[in-house]
Structures are given as structure tokens and as C-alpha cells.
């Protein structure tokens, strides 16, 4: 047999609908195609004509897994364009909400989507048959993240409390205090997660990634910072379009992002950690030292440990924010100056990596142009290269185990296909 | 040995994945539930697929591509009970805003490579294509209502899901009315409850994510919203979000803005 094709028609344990096709000729990989067949939903088209004020709630519906990320990028973009400045207390609450989403989303991926691969079982339900305490720990962590989002956001999926300029209602101190026991427990469970994941055995593979993330002067990045890369790039968010561009490929409903020179890059936990190892909090730092995690993780299968470290960080950061919380004088500020602007741009760190929003508003505050680049769009090309690397080193495997290895190579980066798909640019000729 | 437990399947059409995530968000119930039912086909959670027929099928998302239609018919034929979950599956979702776009305008839409993409001009709910046994509303659905629907069908009874308006829920919770107290525009009087009336408890007007309540009077609410100072385009947009194609909201938004908008929204 000189030609064979590895096909996965419907990728499991990822968010959304995608397929994989790898063509092998002799003992070489001919092509790798991560085909995203999830239908486009045209957000960028129907955002035109909506008020700037509606963008956080509408764009949240791009992804039920990371709605806070969309709300945050949309709010920051509008606020930057409109010149609104946010009170430090409101800024802290936004970071707290983001901690909830990081905990929930990472716990979902680590325990329900990724860990079954390492145990050779099809899903977390089967994992629970022999390791019930492991799955229960994951569910408890996930619940802690969801509780935080429910208290602060009103509900965990598509929270209702976020608005341009701040929040509709800010919590009283005791509402946040009540979260402390569950978060303290989650911190311990997250540390246990680092110990568990660090003890797994990993395929021997290192890739040469260009890691791209935000970097902030004093914090592990979430809502603010400059765009940096492990190869020396350092630019303000507003210059993103100069360094990164999108291309359309025939086999996928999602655009691929590439660097200016056409090369791939990686966003997400591995990139954030590589670029911000020195910004972790004391508990995350201590657990990294305890398990001896390398300062830059280049083995994609080990991303599961990095996600666990970020959960530790998100738990300790949430507790720190609750400790220092005092309610702001006003829950939100409103735009009162000119609304026409093309300066609405922001990047925030979704659980899966940088999420870019850019808008142009007219004098009535109506959106005239919208552009959104999701983390998975940015990682698609790199994920294909990862699959190629895995196939090349395992070319002699039978098709079934090779298929499993390919699927895991994709799941390593927690792709959110629902996010990636909805950005096929439509350009209305009018306007 | 084949399992004798009832088989559950979860399928996705155009959507954000949030409603199926609600099943995984049942952290306290998930393992117990998995003991009572067999999760036969749920790709977001498992790579193991058990053949149908399925005793209970949950369908998320709306129909937006030509391929969706035969796929949906096959799912229906393979399902004893089919329940749609969420605003996309029951009303076409936010992507249903394309249904308001001027067709001529859409023909002038230009892609970089339109030949790579297959997509219908409309986003339609599941019930437009196949019979549906029960529709669970919400953007997203409520976790408690999802568990109720699963328990009901496993127990061979009808789900007990309230049909009253968000207003009733606010009264029950003792939430001060945001319209009366603050003049804040609110769709609560015309929206079915199920969310728990969250928005008014956060000093925000309801934005209708559970869709129209069956016996509501949208024209009367629209009149009130105009009195509060809402202009026509804002009023039309207020009804045109996640349940824009639900007939009562569609009629209310068309009444607010009679001519089709070139923007499509």
C-alpha cells in the first residue's frame, strides 16, 4: 500500500464541527487539511447597522464556551474608540469575571475533553468508571468557575451583566465573599490537577512555535497589554493588522491567520505561559517549581499541564481580587462625546488565546464595519503543522492508532470551531 | 452486551454550542445521569458513537445549509422523541437576522471566494423541516429546564415547563419593575420566563432571549416603549435579536419599521 488517507469525518471532543484529512504517499505526508464545515453565521455582516452598545451581547453568541471573551473584547474596543475610561474597581471586576471563564473553560477541556485521550477512553463518563474521583474533581473545578460567572455575570453561559462602560449592577462585598470557600477549594483542586497532569506520560515531540500573546507590565495578561511574540515582536494592539493577516483556503469555512510573512503562529495557554512565565502569582509559581515544568513548553501534548497551571493562577487571582474589592462609585460610565470613530480596537486573552475585535462607528454610534479574529482561526495553520509532525514521527502506525494520535494533536490546542467559523468576511459593496 | 438503558443523542446545526454545553454544565447531575441513560451520540463529549435509534434526541442550532435538511430528516427518522434546545433551534437564532435582509442586497454580497461556501439565504428553526416533540426555549437554555425535559421523557410524562411571562417571575422574586421604577425598556411583559428573570434583578431590561410568551401583547408594549422615548429603529432592533424570527417578535419589529432595512438588521 503506497497511498493511504487518514480521515476523521467528525472530530469529537472539540467545540463545533470539523473534519481532518491526511494524505500519505509512500512514507511521506502529502497534505493535512483541517476542514471546518460548521456553517458560517455571518456575524460581521449583521453587526453592521446595530448600535455599538449591542456588540457585547451579540458577539457573545459567537461562542457559548467563551462568551465573556467576546464581551470583554467588544467592550474594550468600543471604550477605546469612544475614549471612555473605566474605574479601577470595574477593571478588577472584569478580570474577576474572566477568571471565572478561564477556570470553567480550562476545567472543561482538561477533564472532559483532553484527559480521556491520556487514559485511552472515549470520554469522561468512561474515565469515571475507574477514576471517578478524577472526574468529580474536574466537575467541582468547573462548577467553581461557573458559580463565579453566575454571581458576577448573572448566568454562566451568555452572562447578562456586562455592558460597554462597565456593569449593569456591581456586586456587594458579601456577595463576592460568599464565593471564597468554593474558590479556595478550587485552588487546591487546580494544584492537584497540575500534579496529576504533570505525572502523565507524553509522546516525545517538540515543535518550534512562534508564541503570540499579550504581555502586561505587572500582570499575567487578560484584558490589557501589548502584543508580543517569542520571536521578538512587540506592538500595540492597534497595529495587529500590520503584522497578522487572514487567508481563505478552499477546504475550510474558517479563515486561516498567518504572520505577515505567511508563517504560522500559536496563541493560547502555551503562548501566554511562554511569554509571561514571570507574571504568574505565587501559588502558580510554586506549583510550576514543584512539578519542574519547563519555562517554555514546546511539546503540545504537555499543554494540558499549562492549562492546569493557568487554572491555579485564575483561582488565586480571583481570591486576590475579592480580597481587595470595594464597590466602585458608579457601576458604569456612558459615552457623551462624539460617537463617530474608527478607533474601536481591542484584543483580550480568551481561554484559547487572543481574540481581536475592530469596529468602525458612524455619528449615531451605529456599527458600519466589524472585524473579529478568533483564537482558533489563528491556530488553524499551526494545528495542521502539528498534525503533520505527529504523522511524520508515527508513520508506521496502523491507521486506527494513527487516527487517534491525529485527533489528540488537534485537541491539544482546544480548538473552538464554533468561534473560528463565523468570520468569513462578507463585504457589502454598498457603503 | 447491548445496554438496556435509554439512548440519548445530541446533534448540532448552526449554533454557538452553548445549549449543548448546558448538559455538561450539569456538574452535580452528570455522572448520575450517565448511569441512567446511555450517551449514544454526543460528539462534543465523546468519540464513541452508538448507532440509533435514539430514545431521546436533543437538537441544537438552526438550518442554514442545503446539507442540513436531509441530515435532519435522518435524525428525525432515527429518534423516538426529538426535543429542540435553544433559540437557534426553535426560532432560527441570531443568524436568522439574515432573513430580514433585502434579497437584492444579499446578491451584492461579495466573498473573497464564494465558490468555497455553501449556505442558504435563510436560517430556519428545526420545526420548519421536521415534526418536533418539544421545544426548549432560551439563549441559552436553562439547566433546570433541560434536566426536567430529560427526566420527563425518561419517565414517560410531559415536561413541566412554565409558559408565563418574565413579569410573573419578577413578581414572584420580588424584583422591582425596571420599567415602572426607572423607565428602562424591558421585553419582560412579552417574553416567556425560564431564565429566572435575571436581567431585571441586575437593573437591566429583559432582552427577550427566551422568545415570545404565547398570549403576550407586543403592540401594547411597543406603544409604552415609544412613550419611554425609543425611536423606531431602536424599537425594531429591540425585537430583532436572538429570537428575531419568532412570529410575535417578527411582527412587532416589522410594525416598528415597516420597510425592509437595507442593513438587514
Amino acid at each position: 500500500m503506497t497511498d493511504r488517507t487518514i480521515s476523521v469525518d467528525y472530530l469529537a471532543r472539540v467545540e463545533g464541527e470539523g473534519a481532518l484529512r491526511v494524505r500519505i504517499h509512500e512514507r511521506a505526508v502529502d497534505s493535512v487539511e483541517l476542514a471546518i464545515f460548521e456553517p458560517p453565521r455571518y456575524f460581521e455582516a449583521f453587526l453592521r447597522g446595530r448600535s455599538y452598545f449591542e456588540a457585547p451581547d451579540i458577539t457573545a453568541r459567537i461562542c457559548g464556551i467563551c462568551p465573556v471573551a467576546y464581551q470583554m473584547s467588544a467592550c474594550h474596543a468600543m471604550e477605546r474608540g469612544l475614549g471612555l475610561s473605566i474605574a479601577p474597581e470595574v477593571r478588577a471586576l472584569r478580570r474577576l469575571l474572566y477568571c471565572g471563564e478561564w477556570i470553567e473553560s480550562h476545567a472543561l477541556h482538561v477533564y472532559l475533553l483532553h484527559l480521556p485521550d491520556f487514559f485511552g477512553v472515549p470520554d469522561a463518563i468512561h474515565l469515571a468508571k475507574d477514576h471517578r474521583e478524577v472526574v468529580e474533581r474536574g466537575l467541582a473545578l468547573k462548577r467553581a468557575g461557573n458559580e463565579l460567572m453566575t454571581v458576577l455575570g448573572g448566568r454562566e453561559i451568555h452572562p447578562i451583566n456586562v455592558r460597554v462602560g462597565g456593569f449593569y449592577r456591581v456586586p456587594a462585598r458579601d456577595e463576592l465573599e460568599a464565593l471564597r470557600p468554593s474558590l479556595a477549594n478550587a485552588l487546591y483542586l487546580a494544584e492537584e490537577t497540575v500534579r496529576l497532569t504533570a505525572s502523565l506520560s507524553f509522546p516525545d515531540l517538540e515543535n518550534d512555535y512562534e508564541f503570540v500573546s499579550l504581555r502586561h507590565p505587572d500582570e499575567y495578561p487578560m484584558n490589557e497589554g501589548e502584543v508580543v511574540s517569542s520571536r521578538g515582536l512587540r506592538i500595540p494592539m492597534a497595529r495587529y493588522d500590520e503584522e497578522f493577516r487572514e487567508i481563505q483556503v478552499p477546504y475550510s469555512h474558517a479563515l486561516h491567520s498567518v504572520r505577515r510573512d505567511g508563517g504560522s503562529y500559536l496563541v493560547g495557554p502555551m503562548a501566554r505561559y511562554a511569554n509571561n512565565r514571570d507574571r504568574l502569582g505565587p501559588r502558580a509559581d510554586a506549583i510550576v517549581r514543584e512539578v519542574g515544568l519547563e519555562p517554555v513548553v514546546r511539546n503540545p501534548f504537555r499543554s494540558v499541564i499549562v492549562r492546569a497551571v493557568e487554572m491555579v493562577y485564575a483561582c488565586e487571582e480571583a481570591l486576590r481580587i475579592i480580597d481587595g474589592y470595594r464597590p466602585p462609585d458608579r457601576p458604569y460610565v456612558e459615552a457623551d462625546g462624539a460617537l463617530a470613530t474608527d478607533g474601536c480596537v481591542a484584543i483580550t486573552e480568551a481561554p484559547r488565546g487572543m481574540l481581536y475585535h475592530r469596529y468602525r462607528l458612524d455619528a449615531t454610534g451605529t456599527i458600519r464595519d466589524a472585524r473579529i479574529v478568533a483564537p482558533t482561526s489563528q491556530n488553524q495553520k499551526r494545528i495542521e503543522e502539528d498534525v503533520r509532525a505527529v504523522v511524520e514521527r508515527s508513520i508506521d502506525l496502523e491507521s486506527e492508532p494513527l487516527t487517534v494520535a491525529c485527533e489528540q494533536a488537534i485537541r491539544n490546542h482546544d480548538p473552538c470551531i464554533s468561534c473560528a467559523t463565523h468570520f468569513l468576511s462578507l463585504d457589502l459593496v454598498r457603503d | 452486551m447491548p445496554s438496556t438503558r435509554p439512548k440519548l443523542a445530541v446533534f448540532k446545526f448552526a449554533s454557538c454550542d452553548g445549549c449543548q454545553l448546558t448538559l455538561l454544565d450539569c456538574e452535580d447531575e452528570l455522572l448520575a445521569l450517565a448511569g441512567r441513560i446511555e450517551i449514544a451520540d454526543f460528539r462534543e463529549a465523546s468519540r464513541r458513537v452508538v448507532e440509533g435509534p435514539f430514545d431521546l434526541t436533543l437538537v441544537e442550532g438552526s438550518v442554514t445549509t442545503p446539507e442540513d435538511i436531509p441530515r435532519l430528516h435522518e435524525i428525525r427518522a432515527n429518534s423516538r422523541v426529538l426535543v429542540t434546545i435553544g433559540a437557534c433551534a426553535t426560532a432560527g437564532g441570531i443568524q436568522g437576522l439574515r432573513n430580514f435582509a433585502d434579497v437584492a442586497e444579499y446578491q451584492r454580497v461579495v466573498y473573497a471566494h464564494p465558490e468555497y461556501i455553501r449556505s442558504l439565504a435563510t436560517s430556519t428553526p428545526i420545526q420548519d423541516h421536521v415534526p418536533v416533540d418539544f421545544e426548549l426555549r432560551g439563549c441559552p437554555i436553562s439547566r433546570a429546564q433541560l434536566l426536567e425535559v430529560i427526566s420527563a421523557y425518561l419517565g414517560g410524562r410531559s415536561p413541566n415547563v412554565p409558559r408565563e411571562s418574565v413579569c410573573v417571575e419578577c413578581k414572584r422574586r420580588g424584583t422591582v419593575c425596571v420599567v415602572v421604577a426607572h423607565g428602562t425598556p424591558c421585553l419582560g411583559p412579552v417574553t416567556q420566563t425560564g431564565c429566572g428573570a435575571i436581567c431585571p434583578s441586575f437593573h437591566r431590561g429583559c432582552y427577550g432571549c427566551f422568545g415570545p410568551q404565547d398570549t403576550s401583547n407586543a403592540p401594547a408594549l411597543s406603544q409604552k416603549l415609544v412613550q419611554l422615548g425609543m425611536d423606531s429603529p431602536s424599537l425594531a432592533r429591540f425585537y430583532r435579536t436572538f429570537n428575531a424570527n419568532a412570529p410575535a417578535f417578527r411582527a412587532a419589529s416589522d410594525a416598528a419599521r415597516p420597510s425592509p432595512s437595507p442593513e438587514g438588521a
Side-chain angles (χ1 to χ4, degrees):
Chain A
M1 186 180 70
T2 55
D3 289 290
R4 66 172 168 157
T5 304
I6 300 292
S7 283
V8 182
D9 291 333
Y10 196 128
L11 290 164
R13 298 208 319 275
V14 298
E15 295 96 359
E17 301 178 289
L20 177 70
R21 195 141 292 116
V22 182
R23 291 190 185 84
I24 301 168
H25 178 64
E26 305 290 346
R27 299 189 69 259
V29 178
D30 239 16
S31 65
V32 174
E33 292 179 353
L34 176 60
I36 288 184
F37 57 86
E38 171 126 6
R41 290 165 68 210
Y42 306 121
F43 277 83
E44 288 159 316
F46 60 64
L47 278 164
R48 296 177 181 197
R50 304 299 297 212
S51 161
Y52 75 94
F53 201 74
E54 297 180 284
D57 287 320
I58 290 179
T59 61
R61 268 66 182 185
I62 291 167
C63 180
I65 325 289
C66 56
V68 170
Y70 284 89
Q71 295 182 340
M72 291 295 118
S73 286
C75 285
H76 283 285
M78 297 308 178
E79 288 156 7
R80 181 161 295 128
L82 297 170
L84 293 178
S85 51
I86 299 303
E89 297 88 351
V90 169
R91 181 183 184 281
L93 283 176
R94 283 189 172 164
R95 198 168 167 83
L96 182 60
L97 185 64
Y98 232 148
C99 287
E101 181 159 286
W102 279 29
I103 296 166
E104 193 282 332
S105 177
H106 280 359
L108 171 73
H109 188 258
V110 169
Y111 282 94
L112 300 187
L113 309 186
H114 207 188
L115 216 46
D117 284 328
F118 293 96
F119 285 83
V121 292
D123 54 48
I125 304 298
H126 286 79
L127 182 60
K129 284 180 180 155
D130 289 327
H131 302 278
R132 192 173 176 102
E133 74 296 343
V134 170
V135 178
E136 283 180 345
R137 182 196 301 154
L139 292 170
L141 260 168
K142 193 167 164 314
R143 185 173 51 229
N146 275 338
E147 279 169 5
L148 174 50
M149 282 196 283
T150 301
V151 167
L152 191 49
R155 62 185 172 197
E156 63 271 19
I157 300 171
H158 304 324
I160 55 88
N161 194 20
V162 172
R163 55 177 282 164
V164 175
F167 289 89
Y168 286 90
R169 181 177 80 80
V170 293
R173 253 205 83 85
D174 59 353
E175 289 178 84
L176 296 186
E177 283 291 338
L179 290 165
R180 180 178 288 287
S182 119
L183 285 168
N185 185 48
L187 175 55
Y188 164 74
L189 297 177
E191 287 170 338
E192 287 295 295
T193 308
V194 177
R195 293 184 185 104
L196 168 73
T197 53
S199 73
L200 299 169
S201 47
F202 297 95
D204 185 22
L205 174 70
E206 297 231 317
N207 292 325
D208 182 21
Y209 296 105
E210 177 165 16
F211 292 118
V212 179
S213 74
L214 295 183
R215 181 165 166 86
H216 184 272
D218 350 279
E219 298 166 332
Y220 201 75
M222 285 185 179
N223 291 48
E224 292 167 15
E226 290 180 311
V227 177
V228 301
S229 102
S230 54
R231 294 185 190 155
L233 177 75
R234 189 177 158 186
I235 53 163
M237 290 174 185
R239 286 184 49 208
Y240 176 89
D241 285 331
E242 296 168 25
E243 295 290 337
F244 304 90
R245 59 194 173 87
E246 288 182 298
I247 53 172
Q248 194 178 357
V249 295
Y251 52 84
S252 182
H253 276 178
L255 298 174
H256 282 202
S257 291
V258 290
R259 293 284 279 111
R260 196 171 48 183
D261 64 5
S264 72
Y265 61 103
L266 188 78
V267 299
M270 287 170 71
R272 279 194 296 261
Y273 174 76
N275 293 337
N276 299 280
R277 163 72 186 84
D278 56 340
R279 297 283 188 268
L280 287 172
R283 294 288 283 263
D285 180 64
I287 197 83
V288 163
R289 289 171 195 277
E290 180 191 314
V291 301
L293 185 65
E294 59 275 24
V296 177
V297 175
R298 293 191 179 84
N299 179 338
F301 294 88
R302 291 170 68 80
S303 65
V304 68
I305 314 174
V306 180
R307 257 178 223 102
V309 168
E310 286 199 334
M311 277 196 278
V312 172
Y313 176 73
C315 291
E316 69 173 326
E317 179 69 356
L319 286 163
R320 187 189 69 79
I321 291 168
I322 292 173
D323 274 344
Y325 177 64
R326 65 178 186 84
D329 296 335
R330 289 183 301 170
Y332 57 84
V333 289
E334 288 183 277
D336 54 2
L339 296 175
T341 172
D342 58 3
C344 298
V345 55
I347 297 172
T348 70
E349 286 282 356
R352 288 159 196 75
M354 296 197 315
L355 171 59
Y356 174 77
H357 285 219
R358 182 188 283 275
Y359 303 92
R360 184 163 56 83
L361 310 181
D362 70 13
T364 64
T366 301
I367 297 170
R368 289 294 158 200
D369 192 46
R371 203 162 96 76
I372 298 171
V373 185
T376 297
S377 300
Q378 300 177 75
N379 282 347
Q380 267 188 109
K381 185 176 166 69
R382 184 59 244 187
I383 291 174
E384 288 181 347
E385 291 169 3
D386 270 30
V387 171
R388 179 181 286 269
V390 165
V391 174
E392 279 170 353
R393 65 184 286 284
S394 316
I395 200 99
D396 296 323
L397 278 181
E398 296 286 320
S399 288
E400 174 57 24
L402 189 54
T403 303
V404 172
C406 288
E407 286 182 48
Q408 193 177 357
I410 294 168
R411 276 195 287 271
N412 284 335
H413 298 298
D414 190 9
C416 185
I417 290 169
S418 308
C419 282
T421 310
H422 308 127
F423 308 107
L424 281 170
S425 295
L426 300 179
D427 289 317
L428 296 171
V429 172
R430 222 179 60 80
D431 185 85
Chain B
M1 196 181 74
S3 163
T4 55
R5 290 170 297 165
K7 285 188 196 169
L8 174 78
V10 183
F11 295 106
K12 172 189 159 69
F13 290 82
S15 66
C16 79
D17 283 49
C19 290
Q20 51 178 317
L21 177 66
T22 305
L23 187 55
L24 299 179
D25 276 353
C26 297
E27 290 104 0
D28 294 333
E29 298 87 4
L30 189 62
L31 293 180
L33 195 63
R36 288 179 60 206
I37 58 174
E38 177 168 32
I39 297 178
D41 195 336
F42 182 11
R43 305 296 171 96
E44 185 164 308
S46 180
R47 68 187 302 275
R48 168 176 172 269
V49 176
V50 178
E51 293 290 304
F54 309 111
D55 295 285
L56 175 58
T57 296
L58 305 177
V59 177
E60 173 190 274
S62 64
V63 172
T64 63
T65 73
E67 295 79 13
D68 286 348
I69 297 166
R71 181 172 160 241
L72 182 55
H73 282 281
E74 196 181 317
I75 289 169
R76 176 66 264 192
N78 224 355
S79 307
R80 194 169 63 78
V81 173
L82 189 151
V83 175
T84 58
I85 53 170
C88 297
T90 61
I94 186 76
Q95 59 274 17
L97 289 177
R98 77 179 75 171
N99 303 4
F100 294 87
D102 180 347
V103 174
E105 181 73 22
Y106 252 67
Q107 285 167 346
R108 279 178 278 151
V109 163
V110 180
Y111 302 88
H113 295 284
E115 68 277 17
Y116 299 163
I117 298 150
R118 275 197 304 276
S119 174
L120 296 170
T122 55
S123 168
T124 45
I126 300 300
Q127 61 169 350
D128 282 10
H129 304 276
V130 295
V132 169
D133 295 290
F134 191 80
E135 293 187 321
L136 204 48
R137 304 274 199 91
C139 183
I141 55 170
S142 135
R143 186 163 41 178
Q145 290 194 349
L146 175 63
L147 287 169
E148 164 58 16
V149 161
I150 294 173
S151 312
Y153 283 107
L154 292 180
R157 61 177 173 85
S158 310
N160 178 15
V161 170
R163 298 276 184 198
E164 65 232 16
S165 70
V166 171
C167 281
V168 176
E169 189 78 31
C170 270
K171 302 296 169 288
R172 197 180 291 130
R173 287 186 61 158
T175 303
V176 172
C177 178
V178 296
V179 181
V180 173
H182 310 291
T184 302
C186 180
L187 289 178
V190 299
T191 299
Q192 183 173 304
T193 189
C195 59
I198 307 168
C199 288
S201 76
F202 279 78
H203 308 166
R204 172 182 192 178
C206 165
Y207 60 90
C209 60
F210 274 64
Q213 198 263 340
D214 293 340
T215 58
S216 58
N217 185 349
L221 178 67
S222 295
Q223 219 171 8
K224 175 74 185 168
L225 293 171
V226 170
Q227 282 166 18
L228 289 173
M230 228 185 206
D231 60 22
S232 294
S234 303
L235 185 56
R237 284 202 313 261
F238 203 33
Y239 287 108
R240 280 184 195 173
T241 61
F242 315 108
N243 289 284
N245 283 289
F249 282 3
R250 191 178 175 111
S253 71
D254 286 344
R257 185 198 249 180
S259 57
S261 150
E263 308 283 359

